[in-house]
Amino acid sequence: MSGRGRGGQRAAQPPPDWRPPERLPTDGDQTTVVFYEEQSGKSHILDFSSFPAPLAMQQWMAVLLAARCGARGGSKRLATAKRYHWILHRFTVVLSEAGRVPATPGELAPEHFQIFRDRYEDHPTSLRAHLQALRRLMRKREELTEEALRDLLRTRLPAATVATQVMAYSDHEWQQIMTVLRRDVRISRDRIRAGVRLLARFRDGELVPGSREEALGRMLEEFATTGDLPRNEFGVLRGEVSRLGGAMAIGGMLSLTRDETTAFAMLLSALTGENFGTVKTWPAMHTRPDGGVMTQAVALVEETKPRRGPDREHMVAALEDLPASLRELAESEDAEPRLFHSPLRVYQLLLELTQTARRLSGETRAFVSYSPKHRPALGRDMWTTEVHVKHWSQTRGFPSMGKAVTGGLPAVQVRRIRQSALELKRRPVAHSRETLRDHYLKRSRTVQEQSRSVVGKALREQVAKARAAMDVPVFTPGFIDRAAQDPEAAAAEAGLDPEVLKGLLAGEQDTVLTGCVDHLAGPDTPPGTPCTASFFACLGCENARALPHQLPVQIVVRDRLLATRPNSDPTTWRAKYQAATDRLEDILRHYTPAEREQARAKLSDGQSELVDDLLSGRLDLR
């Protein structure tokens, strides 16, 4: 079975001899499980007989692992099965050290899980991982009592440490990694294409007999035909192989190296936003809906994501060429347009460079390498993600996680590559929009900073609009005196026509609470049509002007609105009167306390009746 785990994937077609994990026959007290990995074909025996627990517990734990890692289980990778085996072993060891190992699964009690928690209480990250593993193994087991199962499935787990968070690369770090990846792809392309041309010239008889080129062409012909190079009777490569560069160099003229296949996989992961573990198991077989004749093309590749479960693990990845809008930009940046920007073209190049290795090995995967020196190692297991990514990065000068320093080259991690790609794309890739938003983008510092900036800008704009709407221009008594002395200058100061200002000062354009510059230019009515808005709406209209002779009405209306607040539904009051009250308060702040007291005493009977009509709604019915 193949894997699950961090980016582990399962092969699209299992090997003919594949079968799920099974219990081996027990001999006496021997309890073992044999695990078959689908992708690599490897088998491994997991021995439970060494567990410090009674035979019944050993057998039960073997059943737990077989159920979890079987054909319908969620774990498909040998490394994951080994980890579950190790955690079960640690569980029994901790219980044995405390002298509390149960004889049967039904005797497991909450206190047993508490002993395990206490053992790792100083290591919250390890405890979290161990408890999650035990939950996956035991959560559906009927052998456990309700009390034990309830204790195991406590909703709160130890918090993950900050170090477990996956952060995207900065723009500079991203360019450093992408530059090296593209360089590796370019070097491998030029080398293999040169080898293919040399082999074609040899087959056409164009090389000078006895020359180094002719000897190298003969070596390439034997390698391309048999997958091997000349050997003596003891199976050792002949000396001429070394004189022509060695087996690795000769084989590399027609095949990618492991590091180069790793570089291709990381580059495609960066271009598509797919998991590295998903990309590395892509098959060479694919579908071209356009028939391969369209300028802007797409290739459909089948992929698997076992973590989605048996019913949802099979997916289709669409590898697209660059959109037409980006094609001209790519052509201006690269001598070979679109290659290092197009997932489709990188995938096509990969298939081109691996066709000889695929034919010799019989593999159907897109990512495959072949060497006459290490033929046995290239059978079924392509690579281990951690080992080969680490080897690629360190041989290219990138530091390990512990040695990376700020300002230098970054440590290369496939999870950070995908995080960076998703932040650049901002669209879901092999997951839902909710997962993209709540998992990948939520933890991104860049997205958090951008979100704060966007939200802050929007809030500032709304505050500015609110202040502008609340700010009704007020003609103070000082302005009234200047208007009486020089109407033209006062009109220019107020930005109004002199005749309009004259009408405002005379009260001819009053609208209960303010004066109106032009009642035929209402914000909610067609131009030239009399405004039909409520008189309360005048407080938020750009045509409104507040004058001193309106101050008594404004004060009384403000007071009566506030008086109704304690006896009204809070939500209803805020919806109807909050904005009007705030705007009246803003107008009143332009006057001194003495001016406001004098105005309150000047309220006439007519103005009092006008206030009653306004607040009762009678003015809105006219």
Side-chain angles (χ1 to χ4, degrees), residues 388-401 403 412:
H388 288 86
V389 171
K390 180 179 180 180
H391 183 269
W392 178 89
S393 62
Q394 292 185 353
T395 55
R396 269 66 179 174
F398 291 98
S400 61
M401 282 291 297
K403 296 182 179 179
V412 178

Side-chain angles (χ1 to χ4, degrees), residues 479 482-498 501:
F479 176 82
R482 293 196 299 275
Q485 298 175 4
D486 190 349
E488 296 290 337
E493 180 183 345
L496 299 173
D497 184 87
L501 179 60

Side-chain angles (χ1 to χ4, degrees), residues 23-24 58 60 72 109 247 276 281 289 311 328 440 506 522 544 560:
R23 288 281 308 280
L24 287 181
Q58 294 177 3
W60 181 66
R72 300 294 295 178
F276 176 85
T281 59
D311 300 328
E328 295 181 0
Y440 291 100
R560 291 182 61 175

Side-chain angles (χ1 to χ4, degrees), residues 413-444:
Q413 292 180 288
V414 294
R415 297 179 68 194
R416 293 186 67 187
I417 287 178
R418 190 185 192 215
Q419 178 73 27
S420 303
L422 291 176
E423 290 186 21
L424 291 172
K425 290 180 175 295
R426 300 294 173 91
R427 61 181 177 84
V429 177
H431 53 245
S432 65
R433 292 185 178 276
E434 290 74 16
T435 300
L436 174 69
R437 179 192 65 214
D438 299 336
H439 180 68
Y440 291 100
L441 298 185
K442 183 179 180 179
R443 68 189 181 189
S444 166

Side-chain angles (χ1 to χ4, degrees), residues 363-519:
E363 291 287 348
T364 60
R365 294 171 301 186
F367 296 87
V368 61
S369 60
Y370 194 94
S371 169
K373 190 173 182 180
H374 300 294
R375 288 178 298 154
L378 295 173
R380 301 162 100 174
D381 181 26
M382 183 201 161
W383 55 34
T384 300
T385 299
E386 295 81 2
V387 172
H388 288 86
V389 171
K390 180 179 180 180
H391 183 269
W392 178 89
S393 62
Q394 292 185 353
T395 55
R396 269 66 179 174
F398 291 98
S400 61
M401 282 291 297
K403 296 182 179 179
V405 296
T406 304
L409 288 173
V412 178
Q413 292 180 288
V414 294
R415 297 179 68 194
R416 293 186 67 187
I417 287 178
R418 190 185 192 215
Q419 178 73 27
S420 303
L422 291 176
E423 290 186 21
L424 291 172
K425 290 180 175 295
R426 300 294 173 91
R427 61 181 177 84
V429 177
H431 53 245
S432 65
R433 292 185 178 276
E434 290 74 16
T435 300
L436 174 69
R437 179 192 65 214
D438 299 336
H439 180 68
Y440 291 100
L441 298 185
K442 183 179 180 179
R443 68 189 181 189
S444 166
R445 293 178 182 174
T446 302
V447 173
Q448 291 173 5
E449 293 174 358
Q450 292 176 348
S451 299
R452 285 192 289 268
S453 176
V454 171
V455 172
K457 181 180 179 181
L459 291 176
R460 287 190 292 271
E461 290 177 352
Q462 293 302 316
V463 170
K465 290 180 181 179
R467 288 176 175 172
M470 187 182 298
D471 189 13
V472 177
V474 177
F475 293 164
T476 62
F479 176 82
I480 302 299
D481 294 339
R482 293 196 299 275
Q485 298 175 4
D486 190 349
E488 296 290 337
E493 180 183 345
L496 299 173
D497 184 87
E499 290 300 321
V500 173
L501 179 60
K502 180 180 178 181
L504 286 172
L505 297 179
E508 298 173 357
Q509 297 174 225
D510 283 1
T511 62
V512 183
L513 294 173
T514 63
C516 182
V517 172
D518 186 359
H519 72 288

Side-chain angles (χ1 to χ4, degrees), residues 36-166:
Y36 297 91
E37 189 171 55
E38 179 179 342
Q39 177 180 326
S40 66
K42 289 181 177 179
S43 64
H44 186 78
I45 296 177
L46 301 169
D47 186 8
F48 290 82
S49 61
S50 61
F51 283 23
L55 178 61
M57 288 296 294
Q58 294 177 3
Q59 293 176 341
W60 181 66
M61 290 184 174
V63 171
L64 293 181
L65 189 141
R68 179 64 188 176
C69 300
R72 300 294 295 178
S75 301
K76 314 292 185 181
R77 188 178 175 184
L78 178 56
T80 306
K82 289 182 178 179
R83 182 166 60 87
Y84 282 136
H85 180 266
W86 182 86
I87 290 174
L88 288 172
H89 180 262
R90 287 300 306 161
F91 182 61
T92 57
V93 168
V94 171
L95 294 184
S96 67
E97 291 174 350
R100 299 299 301 273
V101 182
T104 64
E107 296 181 11
L108 273 172
E111 60 186 24
H112 294 105
F113 296 114
Q114 188 59 49
I115 292 172
F116 193 67
R117 293 189 186 96
D118 294 341
R119 171 63 178 78
Y120 288 97
E121 62 180 351
D122 294 332
H123 306 279
T125 302
S126 298
L127 178 58
R128 180 184 182 88
H130 295 349
L131 289 178
Q132 285 177 334
L134 292 179
R135 286 183 177 186
R136 295 190 186 105
L137 292 167
M138 300 182 183
R139 67 188 315 159
K140 296 182 180 180
R141 305 308 303 185
E142 297 179 355
E143 300 88 347
L144 293 178
T145 64
E146 292 185 4
E147 294 77 11
L149 189 59
R150 187 182 306 113
D151 185 79
L152 175 62
L153 300 180
R154 289 180 184 177
T155 56
R156 181 177 294 277
L157 286 172
T161 60
V162 177
T164 62
Q165 296 182 355
V166 180

